[in-house]
Amino acid sequence: MTISVDALRKVGGAEESREHALIFSTIGSSNYFKGNLEQAIEFHARALQIRENREDVPEIIISLNNLGDAYLECCEYMEALKNYRQALKSAEQIGDAFGRAMALHNLAKTHIALGDDEQAEGFLRDSLKLSKDYKMRYLNNLNYLLRGKIKRRREEFAKAESDLFRVLG
């Protein structure tokens, strides 16, 4: 965290620059990975506010997904869904395939956490199509892992295993 705080001091000026948003986002992510979820939400929200003020839609999408992740980890599912839906809407408006695929994946992940596998499968199907079409290998693998989770819950172990081998292959 010290590095990011030092970076904020060096950037100086009003806290409205793209650099400030990136630093707040980095601090938010650092806190997320440390399990400091309240701080993660606080810093991701600050980054989002700057990005919204700057009308930087690609970066807004990233912030919304980051906020959704933090809320999901806190089991605040409705807040997570709200952020992911807004990320999806924004990505669709600007034709951002990666932003769409990631938001769809995150919506699927949230619906899995809610036990709504049918809804999750629809989002997952759309995210998988995008991740395949645009050769987003990492996201494609994450999608197969999620699909495998649904199949394991349904005790469709051979299908779950098939998805897991796709990730390895």
Side-chain angles (χ1 to χ4, degrees):
M1 262 261 272
T2 306
I3 295 170
S4 296
V5 172
D6 289 342
L8 272 174
R9 287 188 192 112
K10 288 180 183 174
V11 170
E15 292 183 0
E16 287 296 316
S17 72
R18 187 172 192 182
E19 290 78 15
H20 279 98
L22 178 60
I23 292 165
F24 287 138
S25 183
T26 302
I27 295 170
S29 293
S30 175
N31 277 291
Y32 174 84
F33 290 114
K34 290 178 184 177
N36 301 328
L37 299 174
E38 287 181 25
Q39 290 89 354
I41 290 168
E42 175 188 341
F43 283 100
H44 283 309
R46 288 173 77 178
L48 176 61
Q49 183 178 13
I50 293 169
R51 290 167 171 167
E52 287 176 336
N53 291 343
R54 297 177 54 77
E55 299 178 7
D56 190 347
V57 180
E59 296 294 317
I60 288 169
I61 295 165
I62 292 168
S63 286
L64 288 166
N65 277 308
N66 287 340
L67 266 172
D69 288 345
Y71 281 119
L72 178 59
E73 194 68 23
C74 290
C75 299
E76 293 185 33
Y77 303 118
M78 296 307 116
E79 280 298 314
L81 288 171
K82 181 181 92 173
N83 282 280
Y84 295 146
R85 285 184 189 122
Q86 186 58 48
L88 178 60
K89 181 180 175 185
S90 296
E92 288 171 341
Q93 287 173 342
I94 65 166
D96 178 355
F98 179 78
R100 278 186 63 216
M102 183 55 79
L104 288 163
H105 170 84
N106 288 332
L107 285 163
K109 184 171 57 172
T110 306
H111 282 281
I112 288 170
L114 288 167
D116 186 357
D117 291 349
E118 278 186 47
Q119 188 79 21
E121 282 182 310
F123 290 123
L124 208 45
R125 190 172 21 263
D126 293 344
S127 183
L128 254 171
K129 180 171 179 4
L130 284 167
S131 65
K132 283 180 185 178
D133 289 350
Y134 289 91
K135 297 178 181 22
M136 302 172 198
R137 185 171 169 83
Y138 176 73
L139 184 54
N140 200 43
N141 288 342
L142 291 177
N143 284 326
Y144 279 120
L145 289 171
L146 274 186
R147 196 168 79 172
K149 187 173 191 171
I150 292 170
K151 300 212 184 292
R152 281 192 314 275
R153 276 211 296 228
R154 292 183 178 156
E155 297 185 6
E156 297 174 358
F157 299 115
K159 290 178 181 178
E161 187 177 88
S162 173
D163 282 342
L164 295 175
F165 279 120
R166 285 183 178 189
V167 171
L168 296 172

